[in-house]
Amino acid sequence: IGAALLLGKCLQPIQQGVGGWRSFVDAREQYDRLNGLLSRFPEEGVKMPLPEIKGHLTAKNASVVPPGGRVATLSDVNLDLPAGTTTMVLGPSAAGKSTLARALLGLWPTAQGEIRIDGAEAKNFDREELGPQIGYLPQDIELFDGSIAENISRFGDVDPNAVIQAAQDACVHEMILALPDGYDTVITGSRGILSPGQRQRVALARALYRRPRLLVLDEPNSNLDEAGERALGSAMATLKAAGTTILLVSHRQGALPIVDYLIILEDGRIRQQGPRDAVIAQLQASQQQVQQTAQQQPQQPKIKAVGKPEN
């Protein structure tokens, strides 16, 4: 009996090794496939540092195809947005507004043409140097596991003064102080203790961290209430006064008073663009022309129904 027990103990590691051999072989094959895939994309070399951006955005005959897609969702885009200006992008759903925002930031490459920041394409910048100079609030809000201060500081070195300034610019400082642990409150990637509107305002503070030179807001007011709308308008006014170039993608027109330029997108193409007042005048003139045309069309005569004769 003792010999059997000792033999079983001695053979147990061998049995475990035989049982896990298949998992080891699968892991080795996956490792080889992963190395083969990564070898197709060589590491980028060290890029020469470029000056800090000012926020001048240009595009010339730019077309963008989403990753994995075959059809361009943005075609033949030409624009010139001076540094320090605020531009609002309007258009129906699936018009290409979010595609334009991602392409301007270099997140999606151009299939044709070029999009440049201060005369250089986004791919020519060192991403670690360009990232802190850009603020981006995507349409789908993603916060990460960690404290609110870490999320606002983008999980870099937490500068308390810069974190508080970003929260105050986003008008979310008092809301954070009301949480159980203030800026040290730990949140998760899921909803957790924050409502969708609160998560969006924390993400806005993250985009405003260190007052970037280029700020892109993609539907920033989709989950905001009236107080959140006022906070967003105040944040945009603050950043505009600081000389930040702002690109606002939205269905709502509440921010029109502080906008300098308007871009109207439809079916992936720019239908109208230019200074705000000029574009609004063009839209009003087009609407009046359509109404006049409808009034001038002759009306069809009405045909009265004739009933059956009574017996």
Side-chain angles (χ1 to χ4, degrees), residues 87-89 97-98 101 135-141 170 196-205 207-208 215-225 227-233 235-236 246-253 255:
T87 303
M88 190 172 188
V89 182
K97 303 186 298 295
S98 296
Y136 178 44
L137 180 62
Q139 190 171 356
D140 298 325
I141 301 301
Q198 290 175 327
R199 292 173 63 84
Q200 194 159 29
R201 293 176 68 177
V202 171
L204 176 62
L208 303 181
L215 178 64
V216 178
L217 306 174
D218 191 356
E219 297 290 353
N221 46 8
S222 57
N223 293 318
L224 297 182
D225 54 10
E229 290 272 3
R230 291 195 300 268
L232 175 63
M236 291 180 58
I246 303 175
L247 183 77
L248 172 64
V249 177
S250 178
H251 286 286
R252 306 179 188 179
Q253 303 179 13

mmCIF file of all heavy atoms in Angstrom, residues 87-89 97-98 101 135-141 170 196-205 207-208 215-225 227-233 235-236 246-253 255:
data_model
loop_
_atom_site.group_PDB
_atom_site.id
_atom_site.type_symbol
_atom_site.label_atom_id
_atom_site.label_comp_id
_atom_site.label_asym_id
_atom_site.label_seq_id
_atom_site.Cartn_x
_atom_site.Cartn_y
_atom_site.Cartn_z
ATOM 1 N N THR A 87 -14.688 75.046 -35.427
ATOM 2 C CA THR A 87 -15.432 74.558 -36.592
ATOM 3 C C THR A 87 -16.456 73.540 -36.144
ATOM 4 O O THR A 87 -16.159 72.662 -35.331
ATOM 5 C CB THR A 87 -14.489 73.920 -37.621
ATOM 6 O OG1 THR A 87 -13.486 74.875 -37.997
ATOM 7 C CG2 THR A 87 -15.251 73.487 -38.869
ATOM 8 N N MET A 88 -17.655 73.659 -36.676
ATOM 9 C CA MET A 88 -18.731 72.724 -36.368
ATOM 10 C C MET A 88 -19.064 71.924 -37.617
ATOM 11 O O MET A 88 -19.238 72.490 -38.699
ATOM 12 C CB MET A 88 -19.969 73.480 -35.874
ATOM 13 C CG MET A 88 -21.054 72.595 -35.307
ATOM 14 S SD MET A 88 -22.371 73.589 -34.543
ATOM 15 C CE MET A 88 -23.340 72.297 -33.768
ATOM 16 N N VAL A 89 -19.137 70.602 -37.461
ATOM 17 C CA VAL A 89 -19.452 69.704 -38.568
ATOM 18 C C VAL A 89 -20.874 69.203 -38.370
ATOM 19 O O VAL A 89 -21.180 68.564 -37.358
ATOM 20 C CB VAL A 89 -18.469 68.519 -38.628
ATOM 21 C CG1 VAL A 89 -18.786 67.624 -39.816
ATOM 22 C CG2 VAL A 89 -17.032 69.030 -38.721
ATOM 23 N N LYS A 97 -19.211 62.131 -40.531
ATOM 24 C CA LYS A 97 -18.696 63.101 -39.568
ATOM 25 C C LYS A 97 -17.631 62.478 -38.671
ATOM 26 O O LYS A 97 -16.553 63.048 -38.476
ATOM 27 C CB LYS A 97 -19.846 63.671 -38.730
ATOM 28 C CG LYS A 97 -20.957 64.328 -39.535
ATOM 29 C CD LYS A 97 -21.989 64.985 -38.647
ATOM 30 C CE LYS A 97 -22.696 64.001 -37.752
ATOM 31 N NZ LYS A 97 -23.516 63.026 -38.531
ATOM 32 N N SER A 98 -17.921 61.308 -38.109
ATOM 33 C CA SER A 98 -16.940 60.647 -37.237
ATOM 34 C C SER A 98 -15.709 60.208 -38.026
ATOM 35 O O SER A 98 -14.588 60.238 -37.513
ATOM 36 C CB SER A 98 -17.580 59.441 -36.545
ATOM 37 O OG SER A 98 -18.629 59.849 -35.689
ATOM 38 N N ALA A 101 -13.451 63.173 -38.273
ATOM 39 C CA ALA A 101 -12.745 63.428 -37.009
ATOM 40 C C ALA A 101 -11.572 62.473 -36.834
ATOM 41 O O ALA A 101 -10.463 62.895 -36.469
ATOM 42 C CB ALA A 101 -13.717 63.312 -35.841
ATOM 43 N N GLY A 135 -6.596 66.752 -27.761
ATOM 44 C CA GLY A 135 -7.680 66.267 -26.921
ATOM 45 C C GLY A 135 -8.759 65.679 -27.794
ATOM 46 O O GLY A 135 -9.187 66.301 -28.772
ATOM 47 N N TYR A 136 -9.208 64.480 -27.452
ATOM 48 C CA TYR A 136 -10.186 63.779 -28.285
ATOM 49 C C TYR A 136 -11.261 63.174 -27.401
ATOM 50 O O TYR A 136 -10.967 62.414 -26.474
ATOM 51 C CB TYR A 136 -9.490 62.679 -29.095
ATOM 52 C CG TYR A 136 -10.416 61.851 -29.966
ATOM 53 C CD1 TYR A 136 -11.416 62.448 -30.730
ATOM 54 C CD2 TYR A 136 -10.283 60.464 -30.030
ATOM 55 C CE1 TYR A 136 -12.252 61.689 -31.522
ATOM 56 C CE2 TYR A 136 -11.119 59.701 -30.824
ATOM 57 C CZ TYR A 136 -12.096 60.321 -31.578
ATOM 58 O OH TYR A 136 -12.930 59.564 -32.364
ATOM 59 N N LEU A 137 -12.502 63.521 -27.697
ATOM 60 C CA LEU A 137 -13.649 62.932 -27.011
ATOM 61 C C LEU A 137 -14.434 62.131 -28.039
ATOM 62 O O LEU A 137 -15.165 62.696 -28.845
ATOM 63 C CB LEU A 137 -14.528 64.015 -26.385
ATOM 64 C CG LEU A 137 -15.768 63.528 -25.643
ATOM 65 C CD1 LEU A 137 -15.369 62.656 -24.458
ATOM 66 C CD2 LEU A 137 -16.619 64.692 -25.172
ATOM 67 N N PRO A 138 -14.287 60.798 -28.061
ATOM 68 C CA PRO A 138 -14.975 59.992 -29.075
ATOM 69 C C PRO A 138 -16.462 59.891 -28.786
ATOM 70 O O PRO A 138 -16.949 60.239 -27.695
ATOM 71 C CB PRO A 138 -14.285 58.635 -28.973
ATOM 72 C CG PRO A 138 -13.808 58.573 -27.567
ATOM 73 C CD PRO A 138 -13.460 59.988 -27.173
ATOM 74 N N GLN A 139 -17.179 59.381 -29.781
ATOM 75 C CA GLN A 139 -18.613 59.220 -29.636
ATOM 76 C C GLN A 139 -18.947 58.143 -28.612
ATOM 77 O O GLN A 139 -19.905 58.282 -27.847
ATOM 78 C CB GLN A 139 -19.225 58.882 -31.001
ATOM 79 C CG GLN A 139 -20.742 58.926 -31.033
ATOM 80 C CD GLN A 139 -21.276 58.802 -32.440
ATOM 81 O OE1 GLN A 139 -20.523 58.758 -33.408
ATOM 82 N NE2 GLN A 139 -22.581 58.763 -32.572
ATOM 83 N N ASP A 140 -18.172 57.070 -28.592
ATOM 84 C CA ASP A 140 -18.350 55.991 -27.619
ATOM 85 C C ASP A 140 -17.356 56.206 -26.481
ATOM 86 O O ASP A 140 -16.144 56.070 -26.669
ATOM 87 C CB ASP A 140 -18.124 54.627 -28.271
ATOM 88 C CG ASP A 140 -19.127 54.354 -29.388
ATOM 89 O OD1 ASP A 140 -20.284 54.792 -29.249
ATOM 90 O OD2 ASP A 140 -18.741 53.737 -30.393
ATOM 91 N N ILE A 141 -17.874 56.545 -25.302
ATOM 92 C CA ILE A 141 -17.028 56.890 -24.164
ATOM 93 C C ILE A 141 -16.408 55.633 -23.572
ATOM 94 O O ILE A 141 -17.099 54.640 -23.315
ATOM 95 C CB ILE A 141 -17.836 57.640 -23.092
ATOM 96 C CG1 ILE A 141 -18.435 58.913 -23.681
ATOM 97 C CG2 ILE A 141 -16.955 57.971 -21.904
ATOM 98 C CD1 ILE A 141 -17.430 59.870 -24.239
ATOM 99 N N ALA A 170 -14.018 71.649 -17.505
ATOM 100 C CA ALA A 170 -15.177 70.845 -17.908
ATOM 101 C C ALA A 170 -16.357 71.017 -16.951
ATOM 102 O O ALA A 170 -17.384 70.341 -17.129
ATOM 103 C CB ALA A 170 -14.790 69.370 -17.977
ATOM 104 N N PRO A 196 -24.197 57.772 -17.281
ATOM 105 C CA PRO A 196 -23.635 58.063 -18.612
ATOM 106 C C PRO A 196 -23.254 59.526 -18.790
ATOM 107 O O PRO A 196 -22.213 59.826 -19.386
ATOM 108 C CB PRO A 196 -24.765 57.651 -19.558
ATOM 109 C CG PRO A 196 -25.508 56.596 -18.816
ATOM 110 C CD PRO A 196 -25.448 57.006 -17.377
ATOM 111 N N GLY A 197 -24.069 60.445 -18.266
ATOM 112 C CA GLY A 197 -23.725 61.857 -18.379
ATOM 113 C C GLY A 197 -22.475 62.216 -17.598
ATOM 114 O O GLY A 197 -21.641 62.998 -18.060
ATOM 115 N N GLN A 198 -22.320 61.633 -16.392
ATOM 116 C CA GLN A 198 -21.124 61.897 -15.590
ATOM 117 C C GLN A 198 -19.885 61.311 -16.254
ATOM 118 O O GLN A 198 -18.817 61.929 -16.237
ATOM 119 C CB GLN A 198 -21.309 61.320 -14.182
ATOM 120 C CG GLN A 198 -22.336 62.055 -13.335
ATOM 121 C CD GLN A 198 -22.576 61.378 -12.013
ATOM 122 O OE1 GLN A 198 -22.512 60.146 -11.901
ATOM 123 N NE2 GLN A 198 -22.874 62.162 -10.982
ATOM 124 N N ARG A 199 -20.011 60.128 -16.832
ATOM 125 C CA ARG A 199 -18.875 59.525 -17.537
ATOM 126 C C ARG A 199 -18.459 60.397 -18.719
ATOM 127 O O ARG A 199 -17.256 60.569 -18.979
ATOM 128 C CB ARG A 199 -19.249 58.124 -18.016
ATOM 129 C CG ARG A 199 -19.450 57.126 -16.906
ATOM 130 C CD ARG A 199 -19.988 55.797 -17.426
ATOM 131 N NE ARG A 199 -19.039 55.167 -18.333
ATOM 132 C CZ ARG A 199 -18.025 54.408 -17.943
ATOM 133 N NH1 ARG A 199 -17.822 54.190 -16.661
ATOM 134 N NH2 ARG A 199 -17.213 53.851 -18.819
ATOM 135 N N GLN A 200 -19.427 60.960 -19.409
ATOM 136 C CA GLN A 200 -19.098 61.802 -20.558
ATOM 137 C C GLN A 200 -18.392 63.076 -20.115
ATOM 138 O O GLN A 200 -17.469 63.559 -20.776
ATOM 139 C CB GLN A 200 -20.358 62.134 -21.345
ATOM 140 C CG GLN A 200 -20.083 62.723 -22.723
ATOM 141 C CD GLN A 200 -21.268 62.582 -23.651
ATOM 142 O OE1 GLN A 200 -22.404 62.555 -23.217
ATOM 143 N NE2 GLN A 200 -21.002 62.515 -24.945
ATOM 144 N N ARG A 201 -18.785 63.623 -18.979
ATOM 145 C CA ARG A 201 -18.144 64.849 -18.500
ATOM 146 C C ARG A 201 -16.738 64.572 -17.968
ATOM 147 O O ARG A 201 -15.833 65.402 -18.117
ATOM 148 C CB ARG A 201 -19.026 65.492 -17.428
ATOM 149 C CG ARG A 201 -20.345 66.008 -17.991
ATOM 150 C CD ARG A 201 -21.267 66.561 -16.925
ATOM 151 N NE ARG A 201 -20.739 67.783 -16.334
ATOM 152 C CZ ARG A 201 -21.387 68.491 -15.407
ATOM 153 N NH1 ARG A 201 -22.566 68.084 -14.966
ATOM 154 N NH2 ARG A 201 -20.847 69.582 -14.908
ATOM 155 N N VAL A 202 -16.528 63.384 -17.361
ATOM 156 C CA VAL A 202 -15.168 63.010 -16.948
ATOM 157 C C VAL A 202 -14.296 62.808 -18.193
ATOM 158 O O VAL A 202 -13.123 63.222 -18.222
ATOM 159 C CB VAL A 202 -15.201 61.738 -16.081
ATOM 160 C CG1 VAL A 202 -13.787 61.208 -15.840
ATOM 161 C CG2 VAL A 202 -15.877 62.026 -14.742
ATOM 162 N N ALA A 203 -14.855 62.189 -19.225
ATOM 163 C CA ALA A 203 -14.104 62.012 -20.469
ATOM 164 C C ALA A 203 -13.803 63.355 -21.121
ATOM 165 O O ALA A 203 -12.740 63.534 -21.743
ATOM 166 C CB ALA A 203 -14.890 61.124 -21.426
ATOM 167 N N LEU A 204 -14.714 64.321 -20.985
ATOM 168 C CA LEU A 204 -14.440 65.665 -21.497
ATOM 169 C C LEU A 204 -13.275 66.298 -20.749
ATOM 170 O O LEU A 204 -12.400 66.938 -21.358
ATOM 171 C CB LEU A 204 -15.695 66.531 -21.375
ATOM 172 C CG LEU A 204 -15.551 68.003 -21.781
ATOM 173 C CD1 LEU A 204 -15.164 68.119 -23.250
ATOM 174 C CD2 LEU A 204 -16.846 68.773 -21.501
ATOM 175 N N ALA A 205 -13.234 66.129 -19.422
ATOM 176 C CA ALA A 205 -12.102 66.648 -18.649
ATOM 177 C C ALA A 205 -10.800 65.982 -19.093
ATOM 178 O O ALA A 205 -9.751 66.639 -19.148
ATOM 179 C CB ALA A 205 -12.340 66.416 -17.155
ATOM 180 N N ALA A 207 -10.150 64.976 -22.110
ATOM 181 C CA ALA A 207 -9.789 65.595 -23.385
ATOM 182 C C ALA A 207 -9.206 66.993 -23.187
ATOM 183 O O ALA A 207 -8.380 67.448 -23.993
ATOM 184 C CB ALA A 207 -11.018 65.665 -24.297
ATOM 185 N N LEU A 208 -9.606 67.681 -22.122
ATOM 186 C CA LEU A 208 -9.128 69.047 -21.867
ATOM 187 C C LEU A 208 -7.852 69.079 -21.033
ATOM 188 O O LEU A 208 -7.357 70.168 -20.715
ATOM 189 C CB LEU A 208 -10.214 69.852 -21.139
ATOM 190 C CG LEU A 208 -11.576 69.960 -21.830
ATOM 191 C CD1 LEU A 208 -12.520 70.806 -21.000
ATOM 192 C CD2 LEU A 208 -11.431 70.533 -23.226
ATOM 193 N N LEU A 215 -8.440 70.222 -30.282
ATOM 194 C CA LEU A 215 -9.498 69.540 -29.543
ATOM 195 C C LEU A 215 -10.563 69.074 -30.525
ATOM 196 O O LEU A 215 -11.130 69.879 -31.268
ATOM 197 C CB LEU A 215 -10.110 70.481 -28.497
ATOM 198 C CG LEU A 215 -11.263 69.937 -27.662
ATOM 199 C CD1 LEU A 215 -10.799 68.769 -26.803
ATOM 200 C CD2 LEU A 215 -11.861 71.030 -26.783
ATOM 201 N N VAL A 216 -10.821 67.769 -30.532
ATOM 202 C CA VAL A 216 -11.831 67.177 -31.414
ATOM 203 C C VAL A 216 -12.897 66.539 -30.539
ATOM 204 O O VAL A 216 -12.600 65.644 -29.740
ATOM 205 C CB VAL A 216 -11.203 66.128 -32.361
ATOM 206 C CG1 VAL A 216 -12.285 65.493 -33.228
ATOM 207 C CG2 VAL A 216 -10.140 66.775 -33.234
ATOM 208 N N LEU A 217 -14.134 67.002 -30.696
ATOM 209 C CA LEU A 217 -15.259 66.523 -29.901
ATOM 210 C C LEU A 217 -16.270 65.879 -30.829
ATOM 211 O O LEU A 217 -16.854 66.549 -31.680
ATOM 212 C CB LEU A 217 -15.907 67.685 -29.127
ATOM 213 C CG LEU A 217 -14.973 68.524 -28.245
ATOM 214 C CD1 LEU A 217 -15.723 69.711 -27.661
ATOM 215 C CD2 LEU A 217 -14.364 67.678 -27.143
ATOM 216 N N ASP A 218 -16.480 64.578 -30.673
ATOM 217 C CA ASP A 218 -17.398 63.827 -31.525
ATOM 218 C C ASP A 218 -18.669 63.530 -30.727
ATOM 219 O O ASP A 218 -18.678 62.674 -29.858
ATOM 220 C CB ASP A 218 -16.733 62.525 -31.989
ATOM 221 C CG ASP A 218 -17.534 61.821 -33.082
ATOM 222 O OD1 ASP A 218 -18.633 62.317 -33.413
ATOM 223 O OD2 ASP A 218 -17.070 60.794 -33.595
ATOM 224 N N GLU A 219 -19.740 64.251 -31.043
ATOM 225 C CA GLU A 219 -21.013 64.126 -30.333
ATOM 226 C C GLU A 219 -20.809 64.235 -28.825
ATOM 227 O O GLU A 219 -21.160 63.319 -28.063
ATOM 228 C CB GLU A 219 -21.695 62.804 -30.684
ATOM 229 C CG GLU A 219 -22.072 62.653 -32.146
ATOM 230 C CD GLU A 219 -23.224 63.562 -32.574
ATOM 231 O OE1 GLU A 219 -23.828 64.216 -31.701
ATOM 232 O OE2 GLU A 219 -23.511 63.631 -33.778
ATOM 233 N N PRO A 220 -20.251 65.344 -28.338
ATOM 234 C CA PRO A 220 -19.932 65.427 -26.903
ATOM 235 C C PRO A 220 -21.147 65.620 -26.014
ATOM 236 O O PRO A 220 -21.031 65.509 -24.794
ATOM 237 C CB PRO A 220 -19.013 66.651 -26.836
ATOM 238 C CG PRO A 220 -19.476 67.519 -27.962
ATOM 239 C CD PRO A 220 -19.885 66.581 -29.060
ATOM 240 N N ASN A 221 -22.299 65.949 -26.586
ATOM 241 C CA ASN A 221 -23.483 66.228 -25.771
ATOM 242 C C ASN A 221 -24.568 65.170 -25.929
ATOM 243 O O ASN A 221 -25.734 65.428 -25.656
ATOM 244 C CB ASN A 221 -24.061 67.605 -26.129
ATOM 245 C CG ASN A 221 -24.154 67.809 -27.641
ATOM 246 O OD1 ASN A 221 -23.928 66.871 -28.417
ATOM 247 N ND2 ASN A 221 -24.486 69.006 -28.065
ATOM 248 N N SER A 222 -24.197 63.971 -26.360
ATOM 249 C CA SER A 222 -25.207 62.939 -26.602
ATOM 250 C C SER A 222 -25.873 62.477 -25.312
ATOM 251 O O SER A 222 -27.037 62.079 -25.324
ATOM 252 C CB SER A 222 -24.576 61.745 -27.326
ATOM 253 O OG SER A 222 -23.489 61.226 -26.576
ATOM 254 N N ASN A 223 -25.153 62.518 -24.173
ATOM 255 C CA ASN A 223 -25.706 62.041 -22.901
ATOM 256 C C ASN A 223 -25.821 63.152 -21.862
ATOM 257 O O ASN A 223 -25.991 62.861 -20.670
ATOM 258 C CB ASN A 223 -24.830 60.916 -22.323
ATOM 259 C CG ASN A 223 -24.866 59.663 -23.169
ATOM 260 O OD1 ASN A 223 -25.922 59.251 -23.643
ATOM 261 N ND2 ASN A 223 -23.709 59.060 -23.389
ATOM 262 N N LEU A 224 -25.721 64.398 -22.293
ATOM 263 C CA LEU A 224 -25.694 65.505 -21.346
ATOM 264 C C LEU A 224 -27.084 66.082 -21.122
ATOM 265 O O LEU A 224 -27.900 66.162 -22.046
ATOM 266 C CB LEU A 224 -24.756 66.608 -21.844
ATOM 267 C CG LEU A 224 -23.279 66.234 -21.990
ATOM 268 C CD1 LEU A 224 -22.471 67.446 -22.452
ATOM 269 C CD2 LEU A 224 -22.716 65.695 -20.684
ATOM 270 N N ASP A 225 -27.329 66.502 -19.891
ATOM 271 C CA ASP A 225 -28.561 67.221 -19.586
ATOM 272 C C ASP A 225 -28.326 68.715 -19.795
ATOM 273 O O ASP A 225 -27.312 69.132 -20.380
ATOM 274 C CB ASP A 225 -29.003 66.932 -18.154
ATOM 275 C CG ASP A 225 -27.901 67.209 -17.130
ATOM 276 O OD1 ASP A 225 -26.864 67.795 -17.521
ATOM 277 O OD2 ASP A 225 -28.058 66.841 -15.953
ATOM 278 N N ALA A 227 -27.618 71.081 -17.644
ATOM 279 C CA ALA A 227 -26.418 71.555 -16.943
ATOM 280 C C ALA A 227 -25.164 71.119 -17.674
ATOM 281 O O ALA A 227 -24.183 71.874 -17.769
ATOM 282 C CB ALA A 227 -26.414 71.045 -15.510
ATOM 283 N N GLY A 228 -25.164 69.890 -18.192
ATOM 284 C CA GLY A 228 -24.020 69.420 -18.954
ATOM 285 C C GLY A 228 -23.810 70.201 -20.240
ATOM 286 O O GLY A 228 -22.673 70.445 -20.652
ATOM 287 N N GLU A 229 -24.906 70.606 -20.884
ATOM 288 C CA GLU A 229 -24.803 71.420 -22.094
ATOM 289 C C GLU A 229 -24.144 72.761 -21.781
ATOM 290 O O GLU A 229 -23.280 73.239 -22.530
ATOM 291 C CB GLU A 229 -26.194 71.642 -22.692
ATOM 292 C CG GLU A 229 -26.831 70.413 -23.301
ATOM 293 C CD GLU A 229 -26.452 70.238 -24.749
ATOM 294 O OE1 GLU A 229 -25.646 71.040 -25.252
ATOM 295 O OE2 GLU A 229 -26.954 69.302 -25.384
ATOM 296 N N ARG A 230 -24.542 73.367 -20.667
ATOM 297 C CA ARG A 230 -23.927 74.641 -20.286
ATOM 298 C C ARG A 230 -22.453 74.454 -19.966
ATOM 299 O O ARG A 230 -21.609 75.303 -20.306
ATOM 300 C CB ARG A 230 -24.668 75.246 -19.092
ATOM 301 C CG ARG A 230 -26.074 75.723 -19.395
ATOM 302 C CD ARG A 230 -26.584 76.623 -18.281
ATOM 303 N NE ARG A 230 -26.622 75.926 -17.000
ATOM 304 C CZ ARG A 230 -27.690 75.273 -16.535
ATOM 305 N NH1 ARG A 230 -28.800 75.228 -17.258
ATOM 306 N NH2 ARG A 230 -27.652 74.677 -15.365
ATOM 307 N N ALA A 231 -22.115 73.358 -19.305
ATOM 308 C CA ALA A 231 -20.715 73.076 -18.984
ATOM 309 C C ALA A 231 -19.895 72.884 -20.255
ATOM 310 O O ALA A 231 -18.755 73.361 -20.357
ATOM 311 C CB ALA A 231 -20.617 71.839 -18.093
ATOM 312 N N LEU A 232 -20.465 72.206 -21.241
ATOM 313 C CA LEU A 232 -19.762 72.003 -22.507
ATOM 314 C C LEU A 232 -19.520 73.333 -23.212
ATOM 315 O O LEU A 232 -18.416 73.592 -23.716
ATOM 316 C CB LEU A 232 -20.564 71.067 -23.407
ATOM 317 C CG LEU A 232 -20.026 70.847 -24.812
ATOM 318 C CD1 LEU A 232 -18.652 70.192 -24.766
ATOM 319 C CD2 LEU A 232 -20.987 69.995 -25.631
ATOM 320 N N GLY A 233 -20.541 74.191 -23.242
ATOM 321 C CA GLY A 233 -20.362 75.498 -23.870
ATOM 322 C C GLY A 233 -19.316 76.336 -23.160
ATOM 323 O O GLY A 233 -18.508 77.015 -23.803
ATOM 324 N N ALA A 235 -16.753 75.147 -21.429
ATOM 325 C CA ALA A 235 -15.442 74.554 -21.705
ATOM 326 C C ALA A 235 -14.938 74.958 -23.086
ATOM 327 O O ALA A 235 -13.754 75.289 -23.244
ATOM 328 C CB ALA A 235 -15.531 73.033 -21.599
ATOM 329 N N MET A 236 -15.806 74.950 -24.079
ATOM 330 C CA MET A 236 -15.397 75.337 -25.425
ATOM 331 C C MET A 236 -14.993 76.805 -25.467
ATOM 332 O O MET A 236 -14.002 77.167 -26.124
ATOM 333 C CB MET A 236 -16.523 75.059 -26.414
ATOM 334 C CG MET A 236 -16.804 73.579 -26.646
ATOM 335 S SD MET A 236 -18.152 73.295 -27.817
ATOM 336 C CE MET A 236 -17.522 74.142 -29.267
ATOM 337 N N ILE A 246 -10.621 73.981 -32.344
ATOM 338 C CA ILE A 246 -11.692 73.085 -31.912
ATOM 339 C C ILE A 246 -12.464 72.608 -33.128
ATOM 340 O O ILE A 246 -12.858 73.402 -33.981
ATOM 341 C CB ILE A 246 -12.641 73.783 -30.918
ATOM 342 C CG1 ILE A 246 -11.863 74.301 -29.700
ATOM 343 C CG2 ILE A 246 -13.746 72.844 -30.481
ATOM 344 C CD1 ILE A 246 -12.712 75.107 -28.738
ATOM 345 N N LEU A 247 -12.683 71.288 -33.191
ATOM 346 C CA LEU A 247 -13.543 70.687 -34.203
ATOM 347 C C LEU A 247 -14.671 69.979 -33.471
ATOM 348 O O LEU A 247 -14.443 69.032 -32.729
ATOM 349 C CB LEU A 247 -12.770 69.700 -35.078
ATOM 350 C CG LEU A 247 -13.581 69.079 -36.221
ATOM 351 C CD1 LEU A 247 -13.742 70.080 -37.354
ATOM 352 C CD2 LEU A 247 -12.913 67.812 -36.747
ATOM 353 N N LEU A 248 -15.886 70.445 -33.678
ATOM 354 C CA LEU A 248 -17.057 69.932 -32.976
ATOM 355 C C LEU A 248 -17.960 69.210 -33.960
ATOM 356 O O LEU A 248 -18.415 69.789 -34.943
ATOM 357 C CB LEU A 248 -17.818 71.073 -32.298
ATOM 358 C CG LEU A 248 -19.168 70.729 -31.667
ATOM 359 C CD1 LEU A 248 -18.978 69.755 -30.510
ATOM 360 C CD2 LEU A 248 -19.870 71.989 -31.184
ATOM 361 N N VAL A 249 -18.199 67.930 -33.706
ATOM 362 C CA VAL A 249 -19.121 67.127 -34.505
ATOM 363 C C VAL A 249 -20.393 66.959 -33.693
ATOM 364 O O VAL A 249 -20.356 66.423 -32.578
ATOM 365 C CB VAL A 249 -18.515 65.750 -34.845
ATOM 366 C CG1 VAL A 249 -19.521 64.907 -35.621
ATOM 367 C CG2 VAL A 249 -17.237 65.928 -35.650
ATOM 368 N N SER A 250 -21.520 67.420 -34.225
ATOM 369 C CA SER A 250 -22.744 67.373 -33.431
ATOM 370 C C SER A 250 -23.961 67.484 -34.340
ATOM 371 O O SER A 250 -23.899 68.057 -35.431
ATOM 372 C CB SER A 250 -22.758 68.499 -32.391
ATOM 373 O OG SER A 250 -23.960 68.496 -31.654
ATOM 374 N N HIS A 251 -25.096 66.927 -33.845
ATOM 375 C CA HIS A 251 -26.389 67.114 -34.496
ATOM 376 C C HIS A 251 -27.059 68.381 -33.983
ATOM 377 O O HIS A 251 -27.865 68.982 -34.678
ATOM 378 C CB HIS A 251 -27.304 65.917 -34.224
ATOM 379 C CG HIS A 251 -26.918 64.689 -35.000
ATOM 380 N ND1 HIS A 251 -27.156 64.561 -36.343
ATOM 381 C CD2 HIS A 251 -26.303 63.547 -34.620
ATOM 382 C CE1 HIS A 251 -26.729 63.372 -36.762
ATOM 383 N NE2 HIS A 251 -26.188 62.744 -35.732
ATOM 384 N N ARG A 252 -26.738 68.755 -32.761
ATOM 385 C CA ARG A 252 -27.374 69.909 -32.131
ATOM 386 C C ARG A 252 -26.642 71.187 -32.520
ATOM 387 O O ARG A 252 -25.457 71.181 -32.814
ATOM 388 C CB ARG A 252 -27.391 69.740 -30.616
ATOM 389 C CG ARG A 252 -28.024 68.416 -30.171
ATOM 390 C CD ARG A 252 -27.990 68.275 -28.663
ATOM 391 N NE ARG A 252 -28.426 66.949 -28.236
ATOM 392 C CZ ARG A 252 -28.482 66.556 -26.967
ATOM 393 N NH1 ARG A 252 -28.118 67.392 -26.000
ATOM 394 N NH2 ARG A 252 -28.888 65.338 -26.658
ATOM 395 N N GLN A 253 -27.373 72.287 -32.470
ATOM 396 C CA GLN A 253 -26.825 73.550 -32.941
ATOM 397 C C GLN A 253 -26.705 74.579 -31.816
ATOM 398 O O GLN A 253 -26.664 75.770 -32.059
ATOM 399 C CB GLN A 253 -27.698 74.112 -34.069
ATOM 400 C CG GLN A 253 -27.849 73.153 -35.245
ATOM 401 C CD GLN A 253 -28.731 73.701 -36.342
ATOM 402 O OE1 GLN A 253 -29.048 74.889 -36.361
ATOM 403 N NE2 GLN A 253 -29.137 72.848 -37.261
ATOM 404 N N ALA A 255 -24.159 75.215 -29.987
ATOM 405 C CA ALA A 255 -22.841 75.851 -29.922
ATOM 406 C C ALA A 255 -22.590 76.814 -31.076
ATOM 407 O O ALA A 255 -21.479 77.330 -31.203
ATOM 408 C CB ALA A 255 -21.756 74.777 -29.905
#
